[in-house]
């Protein structure tokens, strides 16, 4: 019986393909020689490789491609580099809605009547708004200037409910009037704008409190804008060293959308 068992093992091995292993003799493999199969319960039966569990369905959601800005809002970045590969999505929970504040409902260049809490703002598809028309310098934009990050609405149109979290482990190096700066251990810089700043100060009362781990609460999404208010959203930026024509790399704003798409897909995979 051992000989047959060995033969069975060999057959098992040869039935393993990159897509996974099928037990020999199963109808799927078309094995025409079931007599080679060890009997169930045979003590010499080789340990069959367990059938690979079914691959989880890839979780996706409707999202426009990177660089495809709202029509008329500017030309998007053409660079599709995954600048922050592996980062954690900067909001704790899904859903979240990456889209324009200025060109969305309730914005001053909105496509029609409606407030910021309009259900159409809290819906997919996602849309890139890095490089959206602004006067700020941005070397990654075709125009040389534009919106320096991505705007993301939380799950609901409520202030001080939804947590923003550290995209990677590192240190909070600055807390401004409406900007929280995280220097990641990778050397990348992440900036979180418009959080509930009073809550941020309560979380980080002193220097010793500012070392953070990936996924740690940084503050709640709000609309703080240094004494003014904006819409309820997280404006999220990434700054990273970018090679510059043979000289030293320059740390600059880089396109955020691809890293957000990547990290959100992974967040959905574990929470859905
Ligand atoms: Zn913004």
């Amino acid at each position: 019986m051992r000989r047959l068992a060995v033969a069975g093992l060999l057959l098992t091995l040869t039935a393993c393909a990159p897509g996974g292993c099928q037990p020999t003799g199963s109808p799927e493999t078309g094995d025409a020689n079931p007599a080679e199969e060890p009997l169930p319960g045979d003590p010499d039966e080789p340990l069959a490789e367990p059938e690979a569990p079914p691959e989880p369905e890839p979780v996706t959601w409707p999202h426009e491609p990177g660089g495809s800005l709202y029509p008329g809002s500017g030309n998007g970045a053409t660079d599709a580099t995954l600048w922050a590969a592996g980062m954690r999505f900067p909001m704790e929970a899904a859903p979240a809605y990456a889209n324009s504040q200025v060109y969305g409902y309730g914005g001053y260049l909105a496509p029609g009547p409606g407030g910021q809490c309009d259900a159409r703002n809290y819906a997919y598809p996602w849309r890139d708004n890095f490089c959206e028309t602004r006067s700020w310098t941005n070397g990654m934009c075709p125009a040389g200037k534009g919106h320096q990050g991505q705007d993301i609405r939380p799950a609901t149109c409520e202030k001080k409910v939804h947590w923003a979290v550290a995209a990677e482990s590192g240190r909070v190096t600055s807390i401004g009037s409406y900007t929280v700066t995280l220097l990641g251990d990778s050397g990348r810089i992440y900036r979180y704008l418009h959080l509930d700043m009073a809550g941020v100060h309560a979380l980080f009362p002193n220097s010793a409190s500012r070392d953070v781990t990936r996924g740690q609460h940084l503050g709640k999404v709000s609309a703080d804008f240094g004494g003014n208010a904006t819409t309820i959203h997280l404006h999220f930026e990434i700054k990273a060293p970018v090679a510059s024509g043979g000289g030293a790399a320059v740390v600059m704003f880089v396109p955020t959308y691809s890293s957000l798409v990547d990290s959100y897909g992974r967040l959905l995979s574990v929470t859905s």
Side-chain angles (χ1 to χ4, degrees), residues 101 129 134 136 147 149-151 193-194 233-236:
Q101 307 301 298
N129 84 323
R134 298 289 194 283
W136 301 322
H147 191 232
Q150 174 68 41
D151 294 329
L193 277 61
H194 314 308
H233 73 285
L234 171 66
H235 169 108
F236 180 71

Side-chain angles (χ1 to χ4, degrees), residues 11-266:
L11 284 173
T12 299
L13 289 173
T14 55
C16 288
C21 300
Q22 292 288 345
T24 52
S26 67
E28 291 84 353
T29 62
D31 188 334
N33 190 6
E36 292 284 307
E37 279 291 280
L39 294 172
D42 187 316
D44 286 338
E45 182 178 348
L47 289 174
E49 291 190 35
E51 195 166 356
E55 286 288 314
E57 283 294 312
V59 176
T60 190
W61 72 103
H63 57 277
E64 300 291 344
S68 176
L69 273 53
Y70 188 80
S73 70
N75 294 318
T78 54
D79 181 303
T81 303
L82 189 59
W83 286 100
M87 79 169 191
R88 205 273 185 212
F89 187 69
M91 280 193 210
E92 184 169 49
Y97 303 101
N99 55 34
S100 174
Q101 307 301 298
V102 169
Y103 293 83
Y105 292 94
Y108 70 88
L109 293 171
Q116 67 161 312
C117 294
D118 193 293
R120 289 169 290 186
N121 288 339
Y122 288 82
Y124 298 138
W126 275 24
R127 191 182 278 281
D128 191 352
N129 84 323
F130 184 83
C131 294
E132 189 174 88
T133 301
R134 298 289 194 283
S135 57
W136 301 322
T137 298
N138 190 332
M140 285 289 184
C141 299
K145 55 188 181 178
H147 191 232
Q148 295 165 323
Q150 174 68 41
D151 294 329
I152 313 168
R153 298 179 205 264
T156 61
C157 189
E158 296 170 281
K159 295 179 184 177
K160 306 183 190 180
V161 171
H162 307 284
W163 285 107
V165 298
E168 65 170 286
S169 297
R171 181 167 176 82
V172 174
T173 55
S174 168
I175 300 174
S177 60
Y178 59 95
T179 301
V180 175
T181 304
L182 167 63
L183 172 60
D185 289 343
S186 68
R188 288 188 292 268
I189 294 166
Y190 305 92
R191 300 210 309 170
Y192 299 70
L193 277 61
H194 314 308
L195 302 179
D196 164 37
M197 298 308 291
V200 172
H201 283 288
L203 279 175
F204 302 104
N206 52 49
S207 174
S209 64
R210 292 191 176 190
D211 289 329
V212 298
T213 57
R214 175 187 172 89
Q216 184 174 328
H217 291 168
L218 296 184
K220 288 180 174 174
V221 178
S222 192
D224 288 22
F225 201 6
N228 295 309
T230 180
T231 45
I232 299 167
H233 73 285
L234 171 66
H235 169 108
F236 180 71
E237 299 170 345
I238 304 172
K239 296 176 85 171
V242 178
S244 63
V250 176
V251 176
M252 59 191 294
F253 294 108
V254 293
T256 48
Y257 192 77
S258 56
S259 301
L260 290 166
V261 167
D262 175 66
S263 58
Y264 191 68
R266 284 183 278 109

